[in-house]
Structure formats: C-alpha cells, structure tokens
Amino acid sequence: MRRFILLALLLPHLTRAAEPPEKLFAKENLVAWCIVPFDAAKRSPEDRAAMLDKLGLHKFAYDWRAEHLPTLERELAAIKKHNIELTAFWFPGSLDKDARFILDALAKHQFKTQLWTMVSPKADSDTAKMVAAAAGSIRPIALEAAKIGCTVALYNHGGWFGEPENQIAIIELLKKDATPITNVGIVYNLHHGHDHLARF
C-alpha cells in the first residue's frame, strides 16, 4: 500500500523574486502538513521526524488530534534533532486546556511558529457582529502567541470564517484595538478555496 504526505506550498517562504516555476515546488519551499493524524503507519514522533529528514523535507506544520498531545514534547524534541523547522501548528479556536498545553510546550522548547486557527462565530445576519465575535475569539490567542514570539494565521476551512473578505475584516478590527494586535494574518489553503476559483 502506498502512503502519501500532504504537502503545503507556503508562498511567504519564497523570499526571492519571480523564481522559475521548476523552483517553486523545490523541497525547501514545501511544508509537510496533515501527516500526524492521517498517517496509516501510525509512526512515532521520532520515526516521523526521521522520515521527513530522509525525504529532505525540513518544514513541518503540526496537525494533531487529542491522542497526539501526550507525545507533543517528544515530537518537538525529534524535529529539533533532525533540524526540521516547525513552520506552523494547528491551534484550537479558543484558549482551552489543549491550547494552554500547546503554548506551554512551544515556550518550553523555544519554538516560534505560526498558529493556524479557525473560529466559528454564532451565525448572524449582521456581518459586523460576526466579525466582532470572531475577533473576540482570536484576540486572546494572538495576545498569548505574541508573548512567546508566535504569530496567528486565520485558516480557511470553508464556511463564513473561510471567506477571505471576512478574515481581512477580522484582522482590520484587531488592528483597531486600544493596543493594536499586529501578529495576525491569513494562511490560505487552496484545497478549501474551491468556491473562490471563479474570482481567484
């Protein structure tokens, strides 16, 4: 049976101007994503880091489920040992106990990364209320992330929150805080952007 790794191409990592297309998908521009919860082989953190190293993939976005949190510190130690950058971390949409545990582990191991998150504000016909509710959920995450040198990226996984216009409105509102929040941006997953193709 063949096993696959989902790779993300993160365009912000391309710092050189107008690279030829063949270099766009070079290994140094690829980020392994979704390999923790969807690994049919159920690799250990150490085996996963060794696999990425062997494949020459040295950027990693950590997607997880509750069952993976007990091995998070082993994961962080393993990727550090194999010189793998923790490019991003899938993050809860509120500062619950899992979120606190993740922040503590990242701080302890001195990882400064992007926290990819999404929230689901209560549906309302008033878009401004939904933007304010979403900003209210993101604000404490962004403040805690900033304390340990991390940024927050709003992740488009469909629905109202996945619309770029709504995400931009959330970011703009956060910038208007009494203490402006400036460590929030967008990570755009084309796989979840099928409805945007006509206006891409």
Side-chain angles (χ1 to χ4, degrees), residues 51-83:
M51 174 189 70
L52 290 174
D53 195 6
K54 183 177 178 182
L55 291 170
L57 298 170
H58 286 93
K59 290 184 170 72
F60 179 36
Y62 189 80
D63 186 14
W64 58 278
R65 302 297 179 264
E67 68 193 75
H68 302 111
L69 288 182
T71 60
L72 175 58
E73 292 209 44
R74 283 174 51 203
E75 193 91 39
L76 297 176
I79 63 173
K80 199 176 273 190
K81 177 183 172 185
H82 287 273
N83 296 311

Side-chain angles (χ1 to χ4, degrees), residues 92-180:
S94 65
L95 283 174
D96 61 14
K97 66 179 178 52
D98 289 344
R100 296 284 182 189
F101 178 82
I102 293 163
L103 289 168
D104 288 346
L106 293 173
K108 178 181 176 181
H109 291 272
Q110 300 179 332
F111 278 98
K112 298 178 188 327
T113 188
Q114 298 174 16
L115 305 179
W116 292 357
T117 192
M118 54 179 287
V119 298
S120 301
K122 184 179 175 184
D124 195 304
S125 59
D126 186 340
T127 300
K129 284 184 182 176
M130 290 184 72
V131 168
S137 296
I138 298 296
R139 184 176 293 108
I141 295 170
L143 290 170
E144 291 302 309
K147 289 177 185 176
I148 61 169
C150 290
T151 58
V152 175
L154 308 184
Y155 187 86
N156 66 314
H157 204 301
W160 181 89
F161 187 79
E163 293 298 320
E165 294 83 359
N166 296 331
Q167 292 183 337
I168 291 168
I170 293 164
I171 292 167
E172 291 301 320
L173 185 59
L174 290 169
K175 287 180 181 176
K176 293 177 183 173
D177 274 11
T179 303

